[in-house]
Amino acid sequence: MAGELRSVDYQVTWALPALGGRRYALSERELSLFLSLNPERFEPLDRCDEEVALSLGDAGVVLLDTADPTHAEFNRREEKLRVEQWNVYSAVFHFMTRWEDFHLDRKIPPDLRELGKHNFRSPKVLKDFVATFGLPPPHFRQLAAEHVIDKVPLPLSDSFLSADQFLALLRNRRTCREYDEAEEIEMETFSKLLYMVFGCHGFVHVYDEIWGIKRTSPSGGGLHPTDIFVLIIRVQGIEPGLYHYRAKDHELDLIEKLAVTEASELANEFTAGQSYPRWCGALFIMTTRFYRNFWKYRRHPRAYPVLYMDCAHLSQTFYLACAHLGLGAFVTGAINGVNIEKRLKLDAYSEAPLLISGCGVPLNESVGLDPVYTEFYPSSAEDGTDDSGVP
């Protein structure tokens, strides 16, 4: 073989259509047509390159008024985004970052005790990772000396550290991935958990027919747009399946019956193949009704991030309630949102899952999957020492 190998510079223009949810590489002809269109009105197809216009329409880059079902669906989605007051940048981010049929390639075995033998923090894995990407930022941040005017020691009494019940609860809050699949969550415990975290604990009249509700977690604007669907796997007295939690009446509405094995595998599918969720007792799928928030914060650039904050607040309350009730808990954002939307029959442009929490009866003996932490006390504590070994 003979010849010359050399690099060639080329430029690609990507379209990021929220209506289609997949990036699309524009050809020169497509880019030229796109830039020539008036965004305020439809143009007759026979006045432009019809072949190019159809390719753009099939990808959701432009809207076409045709009899094609795909084009009709894109028009419906565009109208949803307009009527429900989406911020354009939020829409692009949300619909371009959803997962469907994603499965973590970690060679995770289906048996929990086998999973515990896989040391995902092995020295070799970490050595290779650090060799490629370097060390992370330090675990404790310390300002440069020239930026610090003075230091103020803060008191932490020994009685507080050793006897405060709420501090003990906070310290007991942790992520659990080791569940006893032979044990079910007791019905009364499960009911308490739902009510403590996701139930309604008060209401207030706002205006006319508008009412506000109170939960045990804060919500942007007091709107509480987060809804809860529950995947029951192992709960005493409740058949495995998909349910919707109706907070007004503190009841579950059954959507789909499942066998335990089906529910376990669905939990794994929903959580992108992380494996350990299949052994828990129940998943709590936090969906958000977009217009519940966007009704007030219309096309606001900060409205969408607050929806994730709402779910995060609920997940922390969920952790504390589980710690109080003796359950293990986890939360994950690594979810197949599109799979969940299809299974729950949600209109993704009105309601979508953002986060999943789960819980169950933890194993009595660890199989090595969950980390074991050494207690840490800052040097400003009453004994004035820091013997934790943390550098």
Side-chain angles (χ1 to χ4, degrees):
M1 295 180 66
E4 180 183 1
L5 182 65
R6 57 192 175 88
S7 63
V8 177
D9 292 333
Y10 69 97
Q11 180 177 335
V12 177
T13 301
W14 293 96
L16 304 177
L19 303 180
R22 289 181 173 84
R23 68 177 187 170
Y24 183 79
L26 297 171
S27 67
E28 290 186 11
R29 289 171 60 198
E30 289 171 332
L31 179 60
S32 177
L33 175 60
F34 179 81
L35 294 176
S36 72
L37 296 175
N38 187 329
E40 301 298 328
R41 66 172 186 269
F42 280 97
E43 300 283 352
L45 268 178
D46 56 10
R47 292 186 186 177
C48 57
D49 189 328
E50 186 170 340
E51 178 187 357
V52 173
L54 287 172
S55 67
L56 291 174
D58 291 345
V61 178
V62 301
L63 294 173
L64 297 180
D65 187 11
T66 72
D68 188 299
T70 299
H71 301 159
E73 173 61 16
F74 286 152
N75 278 284
R76 186 195 72 82
R77 293 175 183 180
E78 173 70 17
E79 182 65 9
K80 274 281 186 181
L81 294 178
R82 184 189 67 81
V83 170
E84 299 203 1
Q85 300 298 307
W86 274 83
N87 175 272
V88 61
Y89 304 112
S90 298
V92 170
F93 174 83
H94 176 77
F95 292 104
M96 294 299 296
T97 58
R98 294 185 303 162
W99 282 356
E100 180 177 15
D101 294 331
F102 186 82
H103 196 282
L104 292 169
D105 185 18
R106 297 176 67 189
K107 297 179 175 60
I108 298 177
D111 182 80
L112 178 59
R113 285 162 181 79
E114 288 298 316
L115 179 61
K117 297 176 184 177
H118 289 244
N119 187 356
F120 298 114
R121 294 182 298 277
S122 69
K124 183 181 184 309
V125 171
L126 291 175
K127 180 181 179 180
D128 293 344
F129 192 90
V130 171
T132 303
F133 302 107
L135 293 170
H139 39 269
F140 292 130
R141 181 187 178 188
Q142 185 162 327
L143 296 178
E146 60 267 25
H147 297 312
V148 178
I149 299 173
D150 195 8
K151 295 182 180 181
V152 181
L154 300 172
L156 284 174
S157 67
D158 183 64
S159 60
F160 167 72
L161 293 173
S162 61
D164 188 90
Q165 293 183 356
F166 188 62
L167 175 62
L169 179 64
L170 290 171
R171 283 182 173 272
N172 197 36
R173 186 220 67 85
R174 66 183 183 90
T175 294
C176 174
R177 299 179 184 87
E178 301 177 341
Y179 297 101
D180 191 339
E181 58 183 323
E183 294 291 333
E184 295 181 319
I185 302 173
E186 293 182 357
M187 165 79 89
E188 186 175 352
T189 300
F190 178 78
S191 176
K192 289 177 180 178
L193 177 64
L194 267 175
Y195 181 67
M196 290 167 71
V197 182
F198 305 113
C200 178
H201 295 262
F203 61 91
V204 63
H205 183 245
V206 179
Y207 170 77
D208 198 15
E209 298 181 8
I210 302 173
W211 295 82
I213 66 169
K214 183 183 185 301
R215 278 177 169 167
T216 53
S217 299
S219 175
L223 294 165
H224 294 285
T226 307
D227 233 23
I228 304 301
F229 291 85
V230 188
L231 174 57
I232 299 290
I233 307 173
R234 300 173 183 87
V235 178
Q236 288 179 3
I238 305 180
E239 289 187 84
L242 283 166
Y243 295 79
H244 174 253
Y245 176 54
R246 191 156 29 87
K248 181 181 178 181
D249 302 301
H250 188 58
E251 291 182 351
L252 292 174
D253 291 328
L254 177 62
I255 300 171
E256 180 182 356
K257 290 184 180 180
L258 297 166
V260 172
T261 53
E262 292 175 320
S264 295
E265 290 312 306
L266 191 59
N268 194 46
E269 175 190 325
F270 282 178
T271 56
Q274 296 182 66
S275 197
Y276 71 86
R278 56 159 61 98
W279 301 302
C280 75
L283 293 190
F284 299 78
I285 303 161
M286 289 178 257
T287 68
T288 189
R289 294 179 292 150
F290 296 113
Y291 192 57
R292 175 69 185 172
N293 180 280
F294 297 167
W295 167 81
K296 179 178 180 180
Y297 300 110
R298 307 177 80 81
R299 303 187 183 180
H300 197 288
R302 293 299 301 164
Y304 178 77
V306 168
L307 300 176
Y308 273 98
M309 292 167 62
D310 277 22
C311 293
H313 289 313
L314 288 165
S315 73
Q316 172 66 345
T317 305
F318 181 86
Y319 264 71
L320 292 175
C322 283
H324 172 69
L325 295 169
L327 298 173
F330 71 87
V331 63
T332 180
I335 65 174
N336 279 317
V338 177
N339 297 59
I340 296 169
E341 291 159 4
K342 290 179 178 179
R343 195 69 177 239
L344 297 178
K345 298 179 174 59
L346 303 178
D347 181 344
Y349 286 74
S350 290
E351 182 176 7
L354 298 185
L355 211 61
I356 288 180
S357 286
C359 67
V361 179
L363 283 173
N364 288 327
E365 294 184 12
S366 174
V367 294
L369 186 59
D370 290 341
V372 178
Y373 292 93
T374 301
E375 285 193 346
F376 172 82
Y377 296 94
S379 56
S380 61
E382 194 169 80
D383 61 8
T385 63
D386 174 11
D387 55 2
S388 65
V390 176

